[in-house]
Amino acid sequence: MSCGQHFKVAIIGGGPAGIGVAVGLAKRGIGPVVLIERRAEVGGTPMGYRKKPGGVPTFVEWTRGRVVFGEELAGRMAKRLAKTDTTIRLSAQVTQIDPVEKRLTLLWPEGVCDVTADAVVLAAGAREQTPAEKGWLAGARTARVGFTRHITGWLDGNGLLPARKPVVVGSDLIAYSAAAKLRAAGSDKPVMIDRRRSPSAGLFERLFFRRWTRPDWSGDVTAAGIKGDRSAAGVQSSDGQDWHGDGVMICGELVPNTELALLGGLAVELPSRQLQLARGQALSEPGWFAAGNVLGGFHGAQWCYFNGRQAARRVANFLE
Amino acid sequence: MTQFGTWQPKIRGKLFYNWPQGACEEALRFTSAGQLGVEPYDMAIVGAGVVGCGLAYRLSQYDIRVLLVDRLHDVGEGTSKANSALIHSGYDAKPGSLESKLLHEAEADWPGLAARLKIPLDPIGGIMMAVTDEQERQLEAAEKNAHANRATDVRILSATEIREREPNASPDVRGGLLVPGESLVDPFMASIAYAEIALANGVDILLGADIAGVELGQPSGAPLHHLVTADGHRLPARRIVNAAGLGSRRLADGYGGGAFDINPRRGQFLLFDKSARPLVQHILLPVPTTHTKGVLVAPTIFGNLLAGPTAEDLPLEDPAATHTTVEGIRRVVEGGSRLVDGLARQPVIATYAGARCACNQGSYVIRHNDGAPGIVTVTGARSTGLTASISLARHLIDGMQKELGLELSPDSAALDCRPDSAWPGWWRRPFENGATDARTDHGCAICFCEVISGGEIRDALDSPLKPRTMDALKRRTRVLSGRCQGFDCQVPLAEIVSGHTGIGIAQLTKNGPGSELVVPGQAEVTA
Ligand SMILES: Cc1cc2nc3c(=O)[nH]c(=O)nc-3n(C[C@H](O)[C@H](O)[C@H](O)COP(=O)(O)OP(=O)(O)OC[C@H]3O[C@@H](n4cnc5c(N)ncnc54)[C@H](O)[C@@H]3O)c2cc1C
Ligand SMILES: Cc1cc2nc3c(=O)[nH]c(=O)nc-3n(C[C@H](O)[C@H](O)[C@H](O)COP(=O)(O)OP(=O)(O)OC[C@H]3O[C@@H](n4cnc5c(N)ncnc54)[C@H](O)[C@@H]3O)c2cc1C
């Protein structure tokens, strides 16, 4: 990619949502389009859930109420992307945006480079909330305090079990699937704690995961600290409850990846980091759109893909 | 300033990790004292915090055999890694005290030192803000005190003058004190730069060696003492400097050192995301009370905003001295909000706590021939040790020449600087500054939040102190220190470290034995 190149549309992020945008734009014959993905492959979050011999699928294909290998699900989407003329830039991270000029600065293996576009779609996905962001979980800074992303990175990527006695912090769908993944890989029955009185995953979702495990639940934890000297030894609440373990997994409660927008000057609400939408999926500056989990909240992969398709429609309207 | 890679000096010192089954290569592993040679050391420094490292750096300019030991698995990993990261001007010290003298000298040293050693420094200055009538009444005395400390550029500002400089200052601000001499610094790089130069100049460094006791030599002439590690290695030295920070009491008990009482005074901090940085232009300091200096709000050199610390006295050896609490963080937000409007709605990225070495006998207690000839105790560097590290090193050397009969001749081959390639990548940003590079891994981000490449991680692994823990890499490159706190990069980072060093990924640790990233004792399955 020569620097300074101009595209009709630039897509930031190659997860289900970004792929949906690219596929939708191709269907409308809009181009040239560039999709910029900072990892070495497209597919986004589901790609962490690898298909392995003897592996247990735990990525929820929620619209169909079943579990799959995320890699297969995202792989199907990536195939649709491959049939389009989209220019795909891998290992390329957008590090800065200029909303008015619609200019993106990116770092990729050949260096730093700018591209411009008539319209930009932010499809940067989401990450899991950190202890500091939760506000109710403090304590020691030890090893083996990790996220769901690390469970899949260690297990699917490296064949290693991050914790034998996990304490799962969080109680949404992701937390339950994390507990299931750990249990299926041979951990003890996970303990699950959260600030909420009852789990944020619905009854049906919880029943669904009983196939693998039914975590020991404790809710209503208002102030707690991670215990341990060099490694996590569990969590202790300020009212004396004690959950013993050898690893603490911080799961779910997605935080949208809106830092580009925030630092670039698009309207973002604080401290939630939620994008402020002008209308539909349009952001505060004309020509900027968002799709997928960067919009906030938790949405499954298919929802994000179709939300990307919808964003493509909105982009087409804008370009007309 | 814009090239890639790290400096690879000719290294005259030896570096070992006392890490038997550890996550480092065979060549770095310490198995017997013989590896350090048979000659006793002229000087052994216990504690590779910023004080011990600063002393090792200064001593490395002379022709003298020095050993620097620490029980942790990197330099600067104790109190020196968790502080406010400011170079203090000493405006609020007790006039005439040793602290006042050390800070006054250090303030003059720092610009040159930082430029020579490549320690990121930003002299943005501070403003002490009075937010009650009572605090406003204290400003005049504070100004007088500052002038008595030779901080002659300190002067009173009106509320209007403060608002001009700090549009987001609390509406309660009554007035304040301009303190131009305060600066932001990279606190990690201070210890690292000192130790790298010391190592290059021939200081031996032994990490992971807990000094459990001191065997005193015959008290005649210049006795030969031995440091004894917890696992039984004996390290011979003619002189010993106890710079063990909060470990200095236990160590001093081992050689019959004189009376002093220390305890950890915990300081909790809250780190805000980069979006909060434009909120303030200076280091905003509260008016101190008799009990504490109070919660300040300051940018970090890394581009974040920091609020803290608390001041909570805990008993010696209490592991909670570096833990944060929900209540403590709440107090930090409250304290910071008294100075800056809108702080509470800023997104946070991390909390941490540091333990000051509070000493009943005052700041900077120095004892020569303490307990036995040739032994020096230096302790109580409570809240200013990072700043004073350079002037303290000089002061200690002067003292040892006078009191211990230490004779020094300059080492003409000694380095006294690091080259431009030693600036951390996040600071020099080679690509953005126009450098070109044949290695594509410098253009491939691993840490997305701070935009740190795989190439920078490999460079850090190859840097003189051969960092081998995740935390050591974090302090050098800034991986794992952004808003996602390792969500994206933790596992890819471990894969890079394992791939580059050949250490099994299951052996890798956060900060030494016992902090393995995955539960130990499992066979590595190749999937
Ligand atoms: C741990 C975890 C578990 C989950 N489990 C499930 C589940 O079981 N079932 C389910 O349906 N959903 C699950 N989700 C929700 C998941 O977010 C969605 O399934 C879906 O992946 C969201 O698609 P997306 O495209 O919005 O974001 P993502 O899939 O996250 O993709 C965003 C992409 O953008 C890239 N990117 C971000 N910023 C930049 C930048 N600046 N420059 C270049 N590239 C960038 C990222 O690298 C990433 O590839 C889970 C999410 C998480 C975090
Ligand atoms: C909350 C807070 C804020 C601060 N803010 C600032 C600031 O803004 N500016 C400033 O200048 N200063 C500040 N300070 C002070 C500064 O951090 C300290 O004075 C300085 O780090 C002390 O360095 P040190 O080398 O004495 O101690 P340490 O860094 O604690 O080093 C002592 C070393 O000795 C080792 N050790 C101990 N016992 C043994 C043993 N038996 N065997 C082997 N090794 C041993 C330890 O592992 C440790 O690495 C602050 C401190 C705190 C806590």
Side-chain angles (χ1 to χ4, degrees), chain B residues 396-456:
Chain B
L396 285 170
I397 292 174
D398 284 351
M400 289 191 284
Q401 286 175 311
K402 285 194 198 102
E403 310 283 338
L404 269 60
L406 180 68
E407 285 174 19
L408 294 171
S409 57
D411 175 356
S412 57
L415 296 175
D416 192 13
C417 65
R418 300 194 304 163
D420 281 341
S421 58
W423 286 113
W426 62 264
W427 176 258
R428 74 186 125 120
R429 293 267 170 233
F431 272 129
E432 284 153 46
N433 290 313
T436 50
D437 187 28
R439 263 172 65 183
T440 54
D441 67 344
H442 280 124
C444 195
I446 292 296
C447 161
F448 300 132
C449 301
E450 300 291 310
V451 197
I452 306 302
S453 68
E456 282 163 78

Side-chain angles (χ1 to χ4, degrees), chain B residues 324-410:
Chain B
T324 56
T325 63
V326 172
E327 169 59 19
I329 295 305
R330 195 188 55 74
R331 286 211 304 274
V332 169
V333 175
E334 220 173 74
S337 301
R338 275 197 282 273
L339 302 182
V340 180
D341 219 19
L343 193 68
R345 62 186 278 277
Q346 287 300 324
V348 303
I349 64 172
T351 59
Y352 66 90
R356 307 168 187 86
C357 179
C359 180
N360 270 342
Q361 285 71 21
S363 290
Y364 302 104
V365 171
I366 299 170
R367 302 224 167 104
H368 296 100
N369 300 313
D370 193 18
I375 298 188
V376 178
T377 306
V378 48
T379 190
R382 192 184 61 216
S383 332
T384 54
L386 170 60
T387 308
S389 54
I390 186 63
S391 46
L392 179 60
R394 264 198 317 264
H395 183 78
L396 285 170
I397 292 174
D398 284 351
M400 289 191 284
Q401 286 175 311
K402 285 194 198 102
E403 310 283 338
L404 269 60
L406 180 68
E407 285 174 19
L408 294 171
S409 57

